[in-house]
DNA sequence: ACTAATCCTGATAAAATTAGTCAAGTATAA
DNA sequence: TTATACTTGACTAATTTTATCAGGATTAGT
């Protein structure tokens, strides 16, 4: 269905909270979890993915938590989605490339070129949205937390 | 990962074969299956989906098989993908709408508006490619059938 | 130093989705 | 009449997603 998994959706909600919290003290997983009804242990995994890709920083111990590692206008939804869900590739054939960055023969199919072009368009679309815009989108606070 | 499932990938390969066969006698599932190494019973399901949505027609019995119901330049990859994988919606919240086509309150989240806009862009991208272009993309016949 | 809070990590289990199989049927051409 | 090929629904297997859990490491505050 070309949909995001919960991993992706949860991660984006977490980034939304961190964007609104940017410049302040770290935000704890428990607090982020509470605001959107997301399970804490799963959110730990999700934030770990974002940390591995350098989108967020963490501070351990008392008063610890997570912060964005860059300002919200410098982080795109594209980076977030790729960190959470892996590379955008409609078909695996796009990922299997030889050292010259050409598709390996065994991994080409009738639509490889088209999948590649479409994937690039999708990635561009996601990269055109920053966390700042995501945060501003909801400045009226009318959102409901329970949507998955 | 934003990738197509085998259902989608198989369906697109089948449509590629039918596009190349347009104007000729029906093409049997067994033949399509053989050309791309796809399991016959699964392909039956896939072609059934495409038939339900009116993209292909079928003829039963001896010398039977499938044909496109319109010319290849009148069928887009977007229609195909939606028939095979369901509506393009990054989050379910996009699908739950009240009779006025507004999102129901319980189903809004911090990114609903953004998911909707991005989904529309993705759909446009898929709709910009026709089966004719897909067929022409491979007129040199250099593709390998085994890519999934 | 002690303690409570919090992130870190890897293993594991439950649930959902996807992928594929099977069988009995119906329609068609020769 | 027969062989071919689509139709349909039920079923099983494999994979991925969605969590859960436990024990460890780090930090702030006292």
């Amino acid at each position: 269905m070309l949909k995001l998994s919960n991993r992706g959706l949860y991660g984006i909600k977490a980034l939304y909270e961190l964007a609104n919290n940017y410049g302040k003290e770290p935000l704890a997983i428990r607090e982020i979890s509470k605001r959107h009804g997301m399970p804490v242990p799963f959110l730990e995994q999700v934030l770990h993915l974002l940390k591995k890709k350098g989108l967020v920083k963490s501070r351990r111990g008392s008063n610890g938590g997570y912060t964005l590692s860059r300002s919200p206008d410098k982080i795109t939804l594209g980076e977030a989605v790729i960190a959470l869900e892996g590379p955008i590739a409609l078909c695996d054939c796009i990922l299997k490339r030889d050292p010259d960055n050409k598709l390996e023969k065994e991994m080409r199919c009738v639509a490889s070129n088209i999948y590649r072009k479409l994937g690039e368009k999708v990635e561009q679309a996601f990269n055109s949205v920053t966390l700042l815009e995501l945060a501003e989108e909801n400045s009226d606070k009318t959102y409901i937390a329970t949507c998955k």
Side-chain angles (χ1 to χ4, degrees), chain A residues 49-63:
Chain A
L49 286 172
L50 293 173
K51 187 182 177 186
K52 275 201 297 187
K53 295 287 182 173
L55 299 183
V56 304
K57 288 184 298 189
S58 63
R59 191 170 78 190
R60 300 216 268 195
S62 187
N63 295 326

Side-chain angles (χ1 to χ4, degrees), chain A residues 124-140:
Chain A
Q124 277 173 20
F126 276 90
N127 278 334
S128 74
V129 181
T130 68
L131 294 191
L132 179 63
E133 293 170 76
L134 175 60
E136 285 173 347
E137 181 76 24
N138 290 277
S139 45
D140 56 357

Side-chain angles (χ1 to χ4, degrees), chain A residues 99-115:
Chain A
D100 297 331
N101 201 33
K102 295 193 172 173
L103 286 177
E104 294 178 27
K105 259 195 181 168
E106 312 80 57
M107 291 307 295
R108 282 198 61 225
C109 73
V110 295
S112 292
N113 280 332
I114 286 171
Y115 291 150

